[in-house]
Amino acid sequence: MSRISGRPAISNEHVYGLSLRVARWREGAPGTPLLFLNGIGADLAAAAPLLAQIHGREVWTLDMPGVGGSPDALLPYGAPTIAAVVMEIADRLGHMTIDVAGFSWGGALAQQIAIQFPGRVRRLVLMATTPVMGAPGIGWAAMFDDDMLASGLKIQTATPLGIAYQSAAMAGWSSIGFLSGLKNLPALVLMGEQDGVMPACYGEMLADQIDGAVLEMVPGSHLFPFTHAAAISARISAFLDQPAAGQQAAA
């Protein structure tokens, strides 16, 4: 029996030489499923308190290579490769159209998926992330901020190789120049008011690049999706449940 919040169904998917642990909450629920992509080094157990509270749809996530229940990759990988791996898993789950939410490193991967697989993503939620990834290891300063320490949240440490490959996959990555091509893709950008790792300027860059994106500042620092899980899960659900623009006009 799973001890992870919400007791998701756990499986292992073998794709392109990788073995990845996958968790699914409310498996088979009607509606568009939500894929959540976590931050660097964080496993699905860390995201579970947030994901277990997003109701009314299937929610799924996975451990990246070398994180949590996924063994190390044998070779380094790049952003396009890991995006293709994730979407292969979506295909196996029967998810032709998905909503995607990404946090920090996972927010960059969420952008990569939306750009690389046009038409497959219905709605996009980007949290504490950026269109330009800098030095490897970005995000680790958040492990020691006051918001994190006060929460008592525990995030499982990845293997050294897992961290190295995950960092290298996004080193020098940028979505600038590509995000403007995401026409008619509703996007919500959430940034923490006290985030010293991904300041508000990165969210402003995202909102400027994505036509019609909504930018909101929320309480908390870099780990706000986990330290303020109830409020963030409610905001994500409200965004995903909004009728499409055409439906609003018809109403």
Side-chain angles (χ1 to χ4, degrees):
M1 180 178 295
S2 172
R3 297 180 181 178
I4 300 171
S5 296
R7 297 182 178 179
I10 304 292
S11 64
N12 289 287
E13 296 291 337
H14 303 278
V15 183
Y16 305 153
L18 298 173
S19 178
L20 302 173
R21 182 172 68 159
V22 176
R24 303 171 72 183
W25 287 260
R26 291 166 294 284
E27 182 179 0
T32 305
L34 173 66
L35 163 64
F36 174 80
L37 299 166
N38 216 335
I40 190 168
D43 70 353
L44 59 85
L50 169 71
L51 304 185
Q53 296 184 70
I54 300 176
H55 298 289
R57 57 184 44 80
E58 179 174 326
V59 181
W60 65 285
T61 189
L62 66 157
D63 287 340
M64 289 296 153
V67 178
S70 296
D72 287 325
L74 296 177
L75 297 170
Y77 53 87
T81 297
I82 201 66
V85 167
V86 170
M87 293 307 286
E88 171 63 24
I89 294 174
D91 288 342
R92 294 181 184 186
L93 299 181
H95 299 164
M96 296 308 298
T97 301
I98 57 176
D99 295 326
V100 181
F103 161 68
S104 195
W105 185 97
L109 181 57
Q111 295 168 61
Q112 179 68 37
I113 288 173
I115 293 165
Q116 190 171 334
F117 296 90
R120 295 286 303 272
V121 179
R122 186 187 72 110
R123 291 188 178 234
L124 184 64
V125 181
L126 302 174
M127 297 178 284
T129 193
T130 172
V132 181
M133 294 293 279
I138 191 168
W140 282 105
M143 299 299 102
F144 307 103
D145 68 25
D146 292 340
D147 199 35
M148 168 69 175
L149 296 175
S151 73
L153 181 68
K154 305 296 183 183
I155 293 185
Q156 181 170 331
T157 302
T159 67
L161 187 60
I163 288 293
Y165 282 177
Q166 205 174 350
S167 299
M170 288 295 180
W173 173 92
S174 176
S175 60
I176 297 292
F178 296 95
L179 292 177
S180 60
L182 301 180
K183 302 296 185 182
N184 303 315
L185 176 62
L188 173 65
V189 181
L190 301 177
M191 305 296 290
E193 292 173 344
Q194 291 83 43
D195 191 344
V197 178
M198 293 288 180
C201 61
Y202 290 108
E204 293 166 358
M205 291 170 65
L206 286 166
D208 287 344
Q209 287 278 312
I210 304 174
D211 185 36
V214 175
L215 170 63
E216 296 181 8
M217 301 301 298
V218 299
S221 56
H222 189 61
L223 296 174
F224 68 80
F226 311 135
T227 57
H228 298 70
I232 298 304
S233 63
R235 182 63 188 96
I236 291 173
S237 294
F239 172 70
L240 298 181
D241 288 340
Q242 286 178 353
Q247 293 174 315
Q248 289 177 321

